[in-house]
């Protein structure tokens, strides 16, 4: 497949090249998240798929060299990122860990990513409005209704964010651990790389993160694909 054919295939998900399923799904996700004015120009710089190595080594390089350093800029605890980064660097050299080791390392990082990516502002606004309406309908004064609504919205948005992050970490951690331990591109593709990318972008751009995260992620993927 030529680079032009690869670019065309990005617009047709069913045309995913089998030999590079894992990296191709990442390229598809990045292309979809880039601004329209930059997406095709970026895709035209992708290496010929015939030169992309089989297996998940480019995926590991991308995580070790781009994704985790980007997350580390604002993560409150850098140690889990360092542990996972070491596993990705080793796997990029062909020395992948077993499933349990991957699962243990992925858990805290995935929880952080999905907690940071959670739409707290939207959840807070929805909870506040519903709680204030409830309080008003039950005889609260305007000041009392606002105080009740603030307390409810703060508690519910934080609780929901933690629950969402825990659920994603358990489900995604198990699936990624299997894919990484077995160096299985199809299993990796089944972990919805596009959704993972979206979570990383949201975690690193809101509220005070890297404003051009998707551009850094896109450039990092090009470098990871070209490394071999």
């Amino acid at each position: 497949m030529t680079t032009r054919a690869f670019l065309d295939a990005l617009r047709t998900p069913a045309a995913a090249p089998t030999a590079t399923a894992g990296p191709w799904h990442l390229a598809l996700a990045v292309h979809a998240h880039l601004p329209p004015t930059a997406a095709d120009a970026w895709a035209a710089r992708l290496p010929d798929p015939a030169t992309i190595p089989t297996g998940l080594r480019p995926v590991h390089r991308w995580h070790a060299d781009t994704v985790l350093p980007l997350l580390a800029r604002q993560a409150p605890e850098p140690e889990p990122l360092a542990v996972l980064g070491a596993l990705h660097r080793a796997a990029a050299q062909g020395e992948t860990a077993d499933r349990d080791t991957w699962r243990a390392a992925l858990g805290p990082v995935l929880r952080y990513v999905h907690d940071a990516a959670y739409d707290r502002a939207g959840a807070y606004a929805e909870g506040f409005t519903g709680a204030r309406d409830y309080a008003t309908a039950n005889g609260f004064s305007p000041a009392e209704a606002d105080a009740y609504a603030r307390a409810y919205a703060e508690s519910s948005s934080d609780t929901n964010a933690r629950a969402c992050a825990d659920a994603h970490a358990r489900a995604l951690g198990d699936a990624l651990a299997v894919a990484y331990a077995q160096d299985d591109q199809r299993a990796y593709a089944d972990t919805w790389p596009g959704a993972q990318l979206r979570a990383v972008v949201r975690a690193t751009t809101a509220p005070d993160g890297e404003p051009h995260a998707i551009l850094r992620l896109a450039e990092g993927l090009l470098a990871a694909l070209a490394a071999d």
Side-chain angles (χ1 to χ4, degrees):
M1 179 181 286
T2 65
T3 301
R4 174 52 54 187
F6 192 76
L7 175 58
D8 293 340
L10 285 170
R11 304 187 183 91
T12 310
T18 302
T20 56
W24 188 90
H25 277 78
L26 277 180
L28 177 66
V30 168
H31 183 264
H33 281 79
L34 282 168
T37 54
D40 283 1
W42 173 83
R45 296 166 57 203
L46 287 163
D48 189 314
T51 69
I52 298 175
T54 59
L56 295 175
R57 290 192 184 191
V59 175
H60 292 299
R61 278 194 294 266
W62 182 63
H63 278 280
D65 296 341
T66 303
V67 177
L68 294 175
L70 191 60
L71 291 171
R73 290 186 169 201
Q74 61 196 74
E77 298 181 12
E79 182 60 25
L81 296 170
V83 171
L84 183 57
L87 290 182
H88 278 301
R89 283 190 293 274
Q93 299 300 317
E95 300 176 2
T96 192
D98 60 47
R99 182 177 61 182
D100 290 341
T101 301
W102 276 113
R103 184 188 292 113
L106 285 162
V109 175
L110 291 172
R111 276 190 292 274
Y112 163 69
V113 169
H114 286 278
D115 183 87
Y118 188 80
D119 182 14
R120 275 183 167 78
Y124 181 95
E126 183 178 350
F128 182 90
T129 299
R132 186 176 56 185
D133 290 346
Y134 171 83
T136 300
N138 283 273
F140 285 60
S141 71
E144 291 171 336
D146 282 349
Y148 174 83
R150 282 195 298 272
Y152 176 85
E154 289 172 0
S155 176
S156 64
S157 59
D158 284 345
T159 299
N160 289 339
R162 287 193 298 270
C164 175
D166 286 343
H168 277 87
R170 287 195 300 271
L172 187 54
D174 287 346
L176 282 172
V178 170
Y180 289 161
Q182 299 177 356
D183 195 35
D184 188 330
Q185 293 191 89
R186 284 301 182 186
Y188 175 75
D190 288 342
T191 66
W192 298 96
Q196 295 178 58
L197 174 69
R198 183 164 57 251
V200 170
V201 170
R202 291 186 61 168
T204 53
T205 57
D208 298 316
E210 168 65 53
H212 304 297
I214 186 57
L215 300 180
R216 290 174 57 85
L217 291 164
E219 289 300 313
L221 182 58
L222 287 177
L225 292 172
D228 285 346

